[in-house]
């Protein structure tokens, strides 16, 4: 998972981003709506955490602008405001969920994972593709019921492929959701990661479509 955290409280931003990164999530941080505006229009994210109280304008206005421009990334709003009118304004602008400060990081994590699942039409926390099962709450992949040890990059690749199944995922999309925006992976780094996954899961588990990208095959036939 790759997310954008828009929060001007630097201490809270550091604390939350550090806790989320420990779970393998890529977190990119901004402090203003204008910086976030640039990020959401130039980068790809699975989910956005948006604080209502930004120094350069109401976050609801920024969110409304993003939705009008066609951005469909799920948004979780953080707020110290408990009034229903504030929450209603956020939902009307296109927010998907709310967390009121102070909050437990575990709750934020559960909500983020649920938002990402629903954005890919997966209601259950366990995503099943043939003999592969991805437990999005535990961050664990199993193959034929056996847990598979994955690096953080390998997990993010499998997460993207399983969320997208049976869609083809381009090399560019895999790179955008696996690495930070300021990281330029070598041209063959995705190929290397895919090769490692094939060694762990079976040679035919991931199909390469030349010039188009990668797609999970039917894992039920893979030994």
């Amino acid at each position: 998972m790759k997310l954008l955290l828009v929060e001007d409280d630097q201490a809270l931003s550091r604390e939350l981003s550090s806790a989320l990164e420990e779970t393998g999530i890529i977190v990119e941080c901004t402090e203003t709506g204008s910086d976030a505006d640039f990020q959401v229009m130039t980068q790809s994210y699975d989910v956005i955490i948006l604080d209502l109280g930004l120094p350069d304008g109401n976050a609801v206005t920024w969110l409304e602008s993003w939705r009008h421009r066609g951005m469909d990334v799920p948004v979780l709003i953080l707020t110290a405001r408990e009034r229903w009118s504030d929450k209603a304004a956020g939902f009307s602008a296109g927010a998907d969920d709310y967390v009121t400060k102070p909050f437990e990081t575990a709750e934020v994590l559960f909500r983020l994972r649920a938002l990402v699942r629903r954005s890919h039409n997966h209601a259950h926390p366990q995503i099943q593709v043939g003999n592969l099962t991805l437990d999005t709450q535990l961050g664990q992949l199993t193959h034929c019921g056996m847990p598979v040890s994955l690096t953080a990059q390998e997990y993010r690749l499998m997460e993207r492929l399983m969320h997208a199944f049976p869609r083809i995922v381009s090399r560019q999309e895999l790179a955008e959701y696996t690495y930070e925006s300021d990281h330029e992976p070598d041209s063959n780094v995705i190929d290397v990661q895919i090769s490692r996954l094939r060694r762990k899961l079976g040679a035919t588990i991931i199909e390469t479509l030349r010039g188009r990208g990668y797609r999970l095959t039917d894992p039920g036939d893979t030994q």
Side-chain angles (χ1 to χ4, degrees), residues 5-22:
L5 172 58
V6 189
E7 170 60 70
D8 66 321
D9 183 328
Q10 294 184 7
L12 176 59
S13 180
R14 285 193 300 268
E15 181 181 354
L16 181 56
S17 61
S18 177
L20 294 175
E21 285 169 348
E22 287 180 1

Side-chain angles (χ1 to χ4, degrees), residues 64-202:
E64 195 169 39
S65 172
W66 300 337
R67 293 306 192 209
H68 283 165
R69 282 181 276 170
M71 188 206 75
D72 59 359
V73 178
V75 173
L76 172 68
I77 284 184
L78 298 182
T79 179
R81 308 170 189 174
E82 297 185 356
R83 293 182 303 177
W84 167 243
S85 58
D86 292 321
K87 295 182 179 180
F91 282 123
S92 296
D96 298 275
D97 201 358
Y98 258 89
V99 170
T100 303
K101 302 176 184 178
F103 53 80
E104 293 289 338
T105 302
E107 179 185 359
V108 173
L109 182 59
F110 282 130
R111 290 178 180 271
L112 290 173
R113 287 170 170 165
L115 287 176
V116 172
R117 286 199 314 272
R118 290 198 293 269
S119 72
H120 292 280
N121 298 316
H122 296 294
H124 197 278
Q126 291 187 343
I127 301 172
Q128 186 91 30
V129 180
N131 288 332
L132 292 173
T133 302
L134 183 71
D135 190 320
T136 60
Q137 300 290 29
L138 298 178
Q140 176 67 63
L141 178 74
T142 59
H143 183 217
C144 298
M146 299 297 294
V148 182
S149 177
L150 300 176
T151 66
Q153 289 85 3
E154 290 168 352
Y155 178 85
R156 286 194 287 266
L157 280 172
M158 285 303 299
E159 182 181 42
R160 174 57 42 177
L161 288 169
M162 291 189 71
H163 274 306
F165 180 80
R167 180 173 64 84
I168 299 169
V169 184
S170 70
R171 182 193 301 267
Q172 179 64 29
E173 181 179 341
L174 284 176
E176 287 178 352
Y177 286 97
T178 305
Y179 299 94
E180 297 180 11
S181 300
D182 59 357
H183 177 75
E184 291 292 339
D186 295 333
S187 60
N188 69 334
V189 69
I190 297 296
D191 295 326
V192 171
Q193 299 288 354
I194 294 293
S195 294
R196 290 175 178 170
L197 286 168
R198 285 171 175 154
R199 286 198 293 270
K200 294 180 179 182
L201 301 171

